[in-house]
Amino acid sequence: MSHARYDGHADWYDATFHRYGAPTGSAGLLAELLGPPAPDDPACLDVGCGTGLHFAAVRARGHRVVGVDLSADQLRLAAARTDLVIRADARRLPFPAGHFPSVCMTFVHTDVDDFPAAVSEVVRVLRPGGRLVYLGLHPAFVGAFLPRQTEPEDQELRLSPGYGDEGLRHDPTGRFPVHSRVGSRNLTLATFLNAFLSQPALRLESLQELDTTMRPWQPAPADGRIVPWNLALTARALP
């Protein structure tokens, strides 16, 4: 099994991003987009679940969450938040085809080594007619190539070289904590979208651009940023 870059960082990660699990964070939006569980099977697979920050909100919607992650350290904390967690590579999920009526992925396209392969495997285990929800950083507007700390004040973006470099990178400046600690892959928008569009058994339903508070982005958002920060994608497996 592949090396897990997040091993040794679980406690830091959970404390740093704990706000994501709040109803006003990404967890609340994820639960809303997933909707109610399938009447005959409430199981929902969370691929790349990390420490399980989204579990409570999804469970409150009626789903029974199954968490999968490559990092045993992350799963150490996730195990306290749901009944079943499994250590596995997203590219080789240990489930039969069509097993889950719902699957979610949150903030993982910068972490996995082969995102298109992970999406293909998710589609394999998704039941025909089942729902897939993805939440994550906006590939075109968030990354080491685009410093955004002073964007609200300056009302401009300062683009640095690096968009299109999809190799694993570490940010030595410390501006992006995850980039600095474990590294990340900055996919292009085309690579990200084509990971879903290339799946013949999957139909995209919606794509939303979001601000830093996971709300629909507006040209003049409340925090003053001039371009989106996050995105949300929903899709269904064809019957």
Side-chain angles (χ1 to χ4, degrees), residues 169-233:
R169 301 175 61 192
H170 288 78
D171 172 30
T173 68
R175 291 178 294 119
F176 302 95
V178 170
H179 294 227
S180 302
R181 282 177 173 259
V182 301
S184 65
R185 298 180 183 276
N186 297 310
L187 305 188
T188 63
L189 182 61
T191 297
F192 173 81
L193 288 176
N194 283 330
F196 299 93
L197 292 171
S198 63
Q199 300 300 318
L202 192 69
R203 181 182 72 246
L204 268 60
E205 292 188 323
S206 69
L207 181 67
Q208 301 178 50
E209 294 182 301
L210 308 168
D211 63 19
T212 55
T213 64
M214 306 303 291
R215 297 174 181 170
W217 176 77
Q218 300 294 329
D223 68 357
R225 297 187 185 275
I226 60 178
V227 295
W229 192 278
N230 297 293
L231 55 73
L233 179 149

Side-chain angles (χ1 to χ4, degrees), residues 90-136:
R91 298 169 295 181
R92 292 179 290 276
L93 296 173
F95 307 106
H99 190 68
F100 287 96
S102 300
V103 180
C104 62
M105 307 172 76
T106 57
F107 299 96
V108 300
H109 71 268
T110 56
D111 292 326
V112 299
D113 291 333
D114 188 342
F115 185 65
V119 172
S120 179
E121 186 69 346
V122 162
V123 174
R124 182 187 69 80
V125 303
L126 188 61
R127 175 190 299 181
R131 166 156 284 200
L132 167 63
V133 176
Y134 185 89
L135 298 181

Side-chain angles (χ1 to χ4, degrees), residues 12 19 49 118 132 137 157 169 172 204 210 236 238:
W12 166 84
R19 67 188 185 279
C49 67
L132 167 63
L137 299 173
L157 297 179
R169 301 175 61 192
L204 268 60
L210 308 168
R236 283 198 184 274
L238 295 178

Side-chain angles (χ1 to χ4, degrees), residues 142-167:
V142 179
F145 59 89
L146 195 59
R148 299 185 63 181
Q149 286 83 351
T150 62
E151 176 192 344
E153 294 78 19
D154 297 342
Q155 285 293 287
E156 68 177 10
L157 297 179
R158 298 177 181 177
L159 184 65
S160 302
Y163 183 68
D165 178 359
E166 298 184 351

